[in-house]
Amino acid sequence: MNEEMNEKQNGQSTGGILKQTIDSATALATAVPIYEDAVQPLAKEAGKALGTIGKAVNVALAPISLVVWGYSQISDFLENTITGKLERVPEERIITPSPHVAGPAIEALKFTGHDETLRNMFANLIANSLDSKTAIEAHPSFVDIIRNISSDEGLILQLFTSNNEFPVIDIKYVNKKNHGYDILHRNFSLIGQLASCKHPNLTANYLDNLCRLGIFDIPSDRHLSDTKVYEEITNDTLVLSLKKQFENNENHRIDVSKKYVEVTGMGRQFINACVVDKCSRN
């Protein structure tokens, strides 16, 4: 009888670890200030002071209150989404997450929860911080990285879950006489289209930002050994139209420099912890 009671108590204790941990993490959300109430009075005051322009600003800011997440939304998200990502993780591996990771991540959800791509990255980060097997990969700096990327950049990162590098090129405007050149398009690629970005024309800028954050690197004066991977880019409509435009020009021509974008060591850790779905890592 005593043994049965002990087993029952142990089962309840183990079974409650995940719920207690999620509840503890959820409680952190209560410390996050609610900005929704602050936005409207400020906008109203601006409207009084600036007249018509102020009213326009007030109208423009009003939708912000609809996308800023409150406590209940964050609480539901943590309890349902995070628990779902950990459903196949053995209960003995569930640990209290580092507040250095979970706290800022939960706070950031207030302003990114409306974006599915970024929301899912935070979910993976928090879920990995709750798993003793993967907690070491959940670096505190990853919260700021997610805060500093756009939804399109999140989609680009998904391309690199199973690839370490992609070809890019510089499109150059070359002087035939002195061989000097200007770069018309730097780090041009098809990555944005492949990732189904909303604004693929900004892909080069996205790559700049991801390099700035230490996720990607684009080595100078180096290219991929398999030159066939560049054929699709060099035959892109933009490249062909520029070449045709200058094919009969006596002084200038269009040329390309082959390069590539690769994932850094820290970038691979970030992708594993935040981009790869936690369910697939269990």
Side-chain angles (χ1 to χ4, degrees), residues 9 14 27 35 42 47 70 80 82 88 102 104-105 118 128 141 158 181 184 186 212 227 267:
Q9 290 174 350
T14 303
Y35 291 94
L42 288 174
N80 299 318
I82 305 300
R88 291 191 295 172
L118 301 182
N128 279 308
S141 67
Q158 291 177 13
Y181 64 87
L184 297 179
R186 187 171 58 86
R212 177 185 69 85
T227 56

Side-chain angles (χ1 to χ4, degrees), residues 188 190 194 227-237 239:
F188 177 76
L190 303 178
L194 292 172
T227 56
K228 290 184 178 180
V229 299
Y230 293 96
E231 291 180 357
E232 190 172 4
I233 306 177
T234 54
N235 288 318
D236 182 80
T237 303
V239 180

Side-chain angles (χ1 to χ4, degrees), residues 169-187 220-222 246 251-259:
I169 61 173
D170 286 343
I171 303 175
K172 302 187 297 185
Y173 180 65
V174 181
N175 187 311
K176 293 181 178 179
K177 295 181 179 180
N178 59 21
H179 304 291
Y181 64 87
D182 292 320
I183 296 179
L184 297 179
H185 295 278
R186 187 171 58 86
N187 297 333
S220 59
D221 301 321
R222 290 169 59 188
F246 290 93
N251 299 316
H252 298 89
R253 72 173 189 275
I254 296 298
D255 200 359
V256 300
S257 291
K258 298 181 178 68
K259 303 160 64 178

